[in-house]
């Protein structure tokens, strides 16, 4: 999976390496952060029903031949039929698509971040109308030969960072080309482009995974976060050994931009 990656942006100097995660203010969510963990979700809890949608069979000759060979190796004969047309018809088979999506969702889990902290809709949608928190992460990573940005999580598992691709066309599944097919995991409709999303994708792991404490760099409180609760939250981070900067979203008079104030 070597294309359209967060790693490439970092290499080119177009990203400052900070990623922002917007959360509701809930006890269990706060505890997860205090315990230096991230929760890798299955896509069945995502808010977009189009997650992982794709054309199950790409139209290239090599890809069709790979499917044909697999069927024949399984003892399914395609002799005497227009096998290319038969295979491509699978792209109109919703059950076949759902089976592919289910297989992918059972194999991969995801944590979502943004490359921006000052998008109104992110605060509105993911922090219960500015009453929650945005956590600022700065991950140590290493770049693989295929230009993936890789983060070590949990018990030496490796999660990769990918910039989400925004498109109005579904990606295709190429049976023997994982690099291209991997786009299924991080392609979304153009309507989501405002999120500037980066995905941390883990293969073979799910649920809570530990990350180094020092990856959390700052905490930003929403504009409607209860001011009386801020000291308690700050104290909890300090008592758990974190050295952080704390900020609060503030209104800019005469402007619709979001302001940021260190507290």
């Amino acid at each position: 999976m070597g294309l359209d990656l967060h790693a490439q942006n970092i290499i080119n100097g177009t990203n400052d390496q900070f990623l922002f995660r917007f959360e509701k203010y809930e006890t269990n969510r706060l505890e997860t952060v205090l315990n230096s963990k991230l929760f890798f979700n299955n896509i069945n809890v995502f808010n977009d029903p189009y997650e992982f949608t794709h054309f199950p069979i790409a139209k290239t000759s090599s890809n069709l031949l790979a499917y044909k060979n697999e069927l024949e190796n399984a003892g399914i004969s395609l002799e005497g039929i227009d096998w290319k047309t038969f295979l491509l018809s699978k792209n109109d088979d919703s059950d076949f698509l759902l089976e592919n999506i289910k297989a992918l969702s059972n194999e991969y889990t995801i944590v979502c971040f943004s490359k921006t902290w000052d998008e109104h809709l992110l605060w509105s949608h993911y922090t219960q109308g500015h009453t929650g928190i945005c956590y600022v992460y700065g991950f140590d990573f290493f770049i693989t030969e295929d230009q993936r940005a890789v983060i070590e999580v949990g018990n030496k598992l490796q999660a990769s960072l990918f910039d989400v691709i925004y498109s109005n066309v579904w990606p295709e599944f190429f049976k023997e080309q994982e690099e291209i097919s991997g786009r299924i995991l991080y392609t979304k409709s153009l309507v989501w482009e405002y999120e500037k999303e980066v995905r941390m994708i883990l293969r073979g792991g799910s649920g809570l995974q530990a990350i180094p404490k020092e990856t959390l760099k700052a905490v930003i409180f929403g504009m409607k976060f209860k001011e009386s609760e801020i000291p308690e939250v700050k104290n909890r981070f300090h008592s758990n050994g974190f050295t952080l900067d704390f900020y609060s979203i503030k209104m800019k008079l005469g402007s619709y931009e979001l302001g940021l104030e260190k507290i």
Side-chain angles (χ1 to χ4, degrees):
M1 300 181 186
L3 302 174
D4 304 297
L5 303 184
H6 182 68
Q8 196 61 52
N9 284 341
I10 294 172
I11 292 169
N12 293 337
T14 55
N15 188 285
D16 60 6
Q17 301 186 31
F18 291 122
L19 295 177
F20 304 90
R21 178 156 177 82
F22 296 81
E23 295 268 10
K24 299 176 183 177
Y25 179 53
E26 296 176 342
T27 301
N28 62 329
R29 291 172 182 258
L30 180 61
E31 289 295 330
T32 295
V33 178
L34 288 168
N35 289 325
S36 297
K37 293 182 178 180
L38 291 172
F39 192 89
F40 284 79
N41 273 311
N42 186 282
I43 64 163
N44 59 15
V45 301
F46 284 21
N47 58 5
D48 183 2
Y50 280 86
E51 289 289 355
F52 288 9
T53 48
H54 60 281
F55 291 112
I57 299 180
K59 298 178 182 180
T60 65
S61 296
S62 60
N63 191 69
L64 291 170
L65 187 59
Y67 268 98
K68 178 177 182 290
N69 291 338
E70 182 176 285
L71 290 174
E72 290 178 339
N73 289 337
I76 301 172
S77 175
L78 298 178
E79 186 177 353
I81 69 169
D82 183 349
W83 57 271
K84 289 186 178 181
T85 300
F86 168 75
L87 288 175
L88 287 173
S89 69
K90 290 291 187 179
N91 284 331
D92 297 318
D93 185 338
S94 59
D95 289 336
F96 185 64
L97 168 62
L98 292 175
E99 287 176 9
N100 276 265
I101 292 175
K102 183 179 180 180
L104 286 166
S105 64
N106 287 336
E107 187 174 358
Y108 296 93
T109 53
I110 294 173
V111 180
C112 302
F113 301 89
S114 174
K115 288 192 279 188
T116 183
W117 61 267
D118 58 353
E119 170 55 60
H120 284 269
L121 293 178
L122 293 175
W123 283 101
S124 296
H125 293 166
Y126 299 112
T127 71
Q128 286 189 316
H130 282 266
T131 63
I133 294 174
C134 174
Y135 298 104
V136 184
Y137 289 94
F139 293 101
D140 292 327
F141 59 89
F142 61 91
I143 305 297
T144 63
E145 290 183 359
D146 60 357
Q147 299 298 292
R148 286 188 299 165
V150 176
I151 312 297
E152 290 191 353
V153 299
N155 186 22
K156 297 300 181 182
L157 296 173
Q158 292 184 349
S160 300
L161 291 175
F162 297 92
D163 281 332
V164 167
I165 299 170
Y166 298 100
S167 174
N168 278 331
V169 180
W170 285 7
E172 292 179 303
F173 182 76
F174 289 81
K175 196 161 191 62
E176 296 183 342
Q177 297 184 53
E178 183 179 3
E179 178 178 313
I180 299 176
S181 295
R183 294 187 181 188
I184 295 166
L185 305 176
Y186 52 95
T187 297
K188 297 183 69 172
S189 166
L190 277 171
V191 300
W192 296 101
E193 192 171 19
Y194 70 90
E195 290 191 337
K196 299 178 182 177
E197 185 180 342
V198 174
R199 291 192 161 179
M200 184 179 289
I201 299 177
L202 184 61
R203 188 175 194 172
S206 62
L208 290 172
Q209 300 290 347
I211 56 174
K213 185 185 293 287
E214 60 271 16
T215 59
L216 184 64
K217 303 299 184 183
V219 172
I220 305 174
F221 296 100
M223 193 181 298
K224 294 183 179 180
F225 192 93
K226 290 184 180 179
E227 193 169 344
S228 60
E229 296 185 10
I230 290 179
E232 179 183 351
V233 174
K234 291 175 67 175
N235 287 336
R236 293 203 65 188
F237 278 104
H238 289 318
S239 63
N240 277 272
F242 287 90
T243 302
L244 302 174
D245 290 325
F246 294 90
Y247 300 87
S248 184
I249 297 292
K250 298 295 183 182
M251 181 181 294
K252 282 188 175 182
L253 295 180
S255 171
Y256 286 110
E257 294 180 4
L258 297 179
L260 192 65
E261 179 180 286
K262 192 170 184 178
I263 55 176

